[in-house]
Each structure stands twice: as structure tokens, then as C-alpha cells.
Amino acid sequence: MMFKILIIEDEKPLLDKMVNNINWQKHGYQIFQAVNGLEALSILQDEDIDILVTDIQMPGLNGIELVNKLREDYRDIKVLIISGHAEFEYAQQLIRLGVNEYLLKPFRSQRLLEAVNEIRDGISRENKDKEELASLRNELSVYLNKNVRNDTLNWLTDDKFFENQSIIINNNQLYQLIKSGSEEELLKEVDHILKHIGGLKGDRQGLFILLNNLVLFTFQALKELGYDYQDMIKKIDNVYLEKVINGDNLLDLEKWLKDFFLDVNSMVTCPKNNQNEILIEEVKEHIKKNYQEGITLTELSQHFNVSSGYLSKLFLDYVGENFTDYLNMIRVNKAKELLKTTDKKIYQIADEIGFNDSFYFSSWFKRLVGVTPTTYRDNLEFL
């Protein structure tokens, strides 16, 4: 995938240097250039630009005005500011507006490339996060339809409440704080987010968008860390939230958010071993009830909302054998019972206990029992 960069600089020699001193195509970039903000806007109307590299002081439309307009019309574009020493305070102001990076003049071409690469890597991480969040929303929608009245928590899965709030919510920082289990630091980050709530007073949809992003990302973080985020759904009192938001009672909303994240912190700081043991026992019980189905590790991990790698490691740690060995041991034990109590053919037993291939079943049976199913049945009187 080629990333599109628009470089804006009114000093032509510097613009030529930035465009020509780096083999942009080799590094996966397509370059567009403009000498002022107005020319840049024309290009932005025709091209899906990923990264904007812009000077601050420009004729017609300066860097600050351009970034403000970008935030209104092209909010997904990442911005790198290039600034002279005298303009440093402007650059700081732009960073507060959501600019991703800045460079002070003069700078080497290699430093420009490094800064752009950092932004590109951030875009890739964001795209991965979006894919994971989309998957989580689908998973959550299925869960809510099965367990909760359909319209009760629709703000968690409704597209109109799902918007990028990365300027307000630092997802990576929030993830690290949830992972750390530090209640004090987590509440500091929540306080930072709450500062933006005052500006949403009277904006019902804006408040639900903020809640949607906060709650969904928290669920995603819990899932990645191996916790059951569905336990947190039970703590969301939607009737209360509707009442608070419709009544513009922001103090109560702030209290709810703090209580929510205190519950999250309690989940993370709860002894993990106990949770893991409970999870493994639930998984084993699920296998015993459904061994005859085509169970896979991937399906199990989706059912219990953990990653397949995490579940595989837990199985080995707590059961002492891998998932496949355990599943087939359950199946073979059932096969031994059927061989003793019925006259069903080998292929019928194989199909009944979840093996689609009788030869595959026989090989597993011999591996675990020491003889083939036929030999086992023929020698039952000696067992």
C-alpha cells in the first residue's frame, strides 16, 4: 500500500529539497506538493492524502488556519508541522489541536523520513485497532441480542455512536494504564477525559459517542489482556445513563465513569490465577458437553472471548496437555464406552464422537489406548 503525502512549503528551495532528497517511492510513499495552503486545499479535494507535511507561515492560508480546516473537513489526515525557531509557540499550539509531529528548521532529510515513518506506523496501528474494534462490535452485538433486550444498549453497537475520538482518548496510554492496574494513574487519565465532557453539555449524541468509544476500547483492552469483558456489561445501567444524559447531569455522568473504571481496575488487579482456573474449568466443561461437534481452538477462544494463543497457553499450564490432546482423550474415552456397550461399526462411532475420518480416529485411539478400536473390542473379555 502506497501512503500519500502532501508537502506544503512556500520556500521553493526547501520544498524541492524535501521532495527530491528522499527516494519516497522506495519507502512506500507517493508525494504531492503545494506552495501555500490554498493550493493544498485544492489537492486535498482530489486526493485521499494520508499525511500532511506543512509549514506554519504561508501566504493566503497559514498552517494554523489549514489545520483548523482539516479538523473540520479531513479529520483522518495526520499532520507533521515544520517550523522555524521563532514559530515554536505556534507549533506547540498546533500539537494541542491534534498535530501528530513537528520538526524545527533546519532539519536533515533523514529526520524528515523518520518522522513520516513514525506517523505511518501509527496509522497502521490505528487501522489494526479499527479492525479489532469492528470485530468486537459484531461480537458484542451478537451477545446483546442473545442476552439483553435488543434496544437497551444499542449505543454500544450503533454506527452513529461510533466515531474516532483519538484526540480526546489516548488509546495506547489508556491500554497501558488498564494493564498496569494502577488505580491512581488510571483515574488521572479519566480526569483528563472528563475535562472534555463539559464542552458536550446539551449534546446527547456527542456524550454517547464519547461513552461508546471509551467503553468499547476498554472492552477491547480487557479482551486482549485475557479478561471477560462481558462481566462489565452487567455493570452498565442503561436506564440510569439515559436519565443522566437526557437530564444533562454531567456530575453524575462523571461519577459513573469513575465507578466504571474502578470496576475495570478491580477486575485487572483481582488475582489472575483464580480467574484463569475458573476459565479453564468452564472450557473443560464446554468440551465435555460438545466434544462430538467440530470444536476448534479458534471457536473456543471466540466463545470465551480470549485469544487462541492465550487459551492454548492456559490449557498447557493448567491442564498439563494441549487442547487437541485433551479433546481427543475425551472422545476416545467415549469411544471405549461405545465399543463396550454397542455393536456400532467403527466409522459410526468415529462420526458420533466428532471424528469425520475413521482412519484418523483409529490412529488417535491407538495412540492413547495402545491398540486399534477393533483390537480393543475383540479383547474386551480380557480387559
Side-chain angles (χ1 to χ4, degrees):
M1 172 186 173
M2 295 287 284
F3 282 78
K4 294 183 178 181
I5 300 177
L6 173 56
I7 301 177
I8 313 164
E9 171 57 63
D10 62 322
E11 296 180 27
K12 194 66 167 61
L14 180 55
L15 177 61
D16 291 341
K17 177 183 176 183
M18 288 191 289
V19 170
N20 299 319
N21 280 16
I22 298 172
N23 187 343
W24 291 105
Q25 186 172 4
K26 174 185 174 183
H27 294 281
Y29 299 105
Q30 182 180 359
I31 297 298
F32 298 83
Q33 55 184 296
V35 294
N36 58 57
L38 293 175
E39 186 179 344
L41 284 178
S42 177
I43 295 173
L44 286 165
Q45 290 174 356
D46 298 328
E47 300 290 342
D48 292 326
I49 300 297
D50 299 297
I51 303 172
L52 190 77
V53 179
T54 182
D55 194 2
I56 290 182
Q57 297 294 348
M58 296 182 296
L61 188 72
N62 67 34
I64 294 176
E65 294 166 337
L66 177 60
V67 171
N68 277 326
K69 189 159 186 61
L70 285 175
R71 288 297 170 244
E72 295 173 4
D73 303 329
Y74 306 96
R75 59 185 304 162
D76 288 337
I77 295 179
K78 306 304 179 185
V79 179
L80 188 158
I81 289 291
I82 50 178
S83 167
H85 289 284
E87 302 157 356
F88 183 73
E89 290 184 7
Y90 290 117
Q92 293 293 82
Q93 177 185 349
L94 285 166
I95 288 173
R96 288 194 293 271
L97 291 173
V99 169
N100 302 88
E101 185 61 89
Y102 71 91
L103 291 178
L104 286 177
K105 300 177 184 177
F107 52 83
R108 295 181 179 275
S109 298
Q110 181 61 31
R111 180 65 191 99
L112 173 61
L113 177 61
E114 289 171 355
V116 169
N117 283 341
E118 288 172 7
I119 294 175
R120 179 194 60 192
D121 292 344
I123 293 174
S124 298
R125 287 192 298 270
E126 285 183 11
N127 289 338
K128 182 174 180 293
D129 286 343
K130 287 178 182 178
E131 291 174 2
E132 291 175 350
L133 274 176
S135 174
L136 177 66
R137 290 172 71 212
N138 290 334
E139 183 181 291
L140 190 57
S141 181
V142 171
Y143 174 85
L144 293 177
N145 285 334
K146 286 183 178 179
N147 298 279
V148 184
R149 203 181 82 237
N150 288 353
D151 60 347
T152 304
L153 292 172
N154 66 346
W155 57 272
L156 276 175
T157 55
D158 195 322
D159 286 341
K160 71 180 180 181
F161 294 132
F162 184 69
E163 293 186 6
N164 183 7
Q165 294 287 320
S166 59
I167 294 176
I168 296 176
I169 305 169
N170 186 327
N171 287 351
N172 183 59
Q173 185 171 343
L174 187 58
Y175 174 86
Q176 294 300 330
L177 290 174
I178 291 173
K179 182 179 179 180
S180 73
S182 171
E183 178 180 307
E184 181 181 356
E185 294 302 316
L186 181 59
L187 288 180
K188 282 183 182 178
E189 180 64 16
V190 174
D191 282 336
H192 169 73
I193 295 167
L194 290 176
K195 290 178 182 177
H196 296 271
I197 284 186
L200 295 173
K201 187 175 177 62
D203 182 359
R204 180 180 183 277
Q205 179 157 321
L207 287 169
F208 270 121
I209 287 172
L210 181 62
L211 280 177
N212 175 288
N213 282 262
L214 266 177
V215 172
L216 278 181
F217 181 77
T218 301
F219 285 174
Q220 182 187 15
L222 289 173
K223 182 177 179 180
E224 288 180 9
L225 293 170
Y227 297 93
D228 186 358
Y229 72 85
Q230 292 177 358
D231 285 345
M232 292 300 301
I233 296 176
K234 302 165 189 174
K235 298 180 182 295
I236 300 177
D237 185 343
N238 195 63
V239 175
Y240 172 77
L241 282 177
E242 285 276 4
K243 181 179 178 181
V244 167
I245 289 178
N246 289 335
D248 251 1
N249 194 336
L250 298 187
L251 289 178
D252 282 352
L253 181 59
E254 291 179 10
K255 181 181 183 302
W256 181 87
L257 275 174
K258 287 188 176 181
D259 288 343
F260 175 79
F261 279 101
L262 285 174
D263 286 336
V264 169
N265 193 69
S266 295
M267 176 180 285
V268 173
T269 54
C270 176
K272 192 69 177 287
N273 286 342
N274 292 344
Q275 291 193 9
N276 287 341
E277 289 173 4
I278 292 171
L279 172 61
I280 288 299
E281 288 304 314
E282 290 177 351
V283 170
K284 288 166 65 177
E285 189 63 28
H286 182 83
I287 292 172
K288 289 175 183 177
K289 290 180 179 178
N290 300 279
Y291 65 87
Q292 70 275 21
E293 306 294 336
I295 301 176
T296 66
L297 184 63
T298 299
E299 290 169 342
L300 263 184
S301 63
Q302 290 174 348
H303 181 81
F304 287 96
N305 298 305
V306 294
S307 71
S308 55
Y310 181 78
L311 184 57
S312 177
K313 184 178 184 304
L314 279 187
F315 222 91
L316 202 57
D317 289 345
Y318 285 85
V319 181
E321 55 190 336
N322 64 41
F323 159 74
T324 302
D325 287 350
Y326 182 82
L327 171 62
N328 287 331
M329 180 190 70
I330 297 292
R331 288 170 168 171
V332 166
N333 284 340
K334 181 62 178 178
K336 289 165 66 177
E337 179 185 327
L338 293 173
L339 287 167
K340 289 179 183 178
T341 59
T342 73
D343 58 358
K344 292 180 179 179
K345 297 183 181 300
I346 301 300
Y347 75 86
Q348 291 175 318
I349 292 176
D351 186 64
E352 184 173 331
I353 63 175
F355 283 101
N356 294 325
D357 187 322
S358 59
F359 292 103
Y360 184 56
F361 159 61
S362 294
S363 67
W364 264 102
F365 193 97
K366 184 174 182 180
R367 174 179 169 181
L368 295 176
V369 181
V371 295
T372 65
T374 301
T375 302
Y376 180 84
R377 173 177 269 169
D378 290 343
N379 291 276
L380 280 174
E381 60 183 295
F382 303 111
L383 296 177

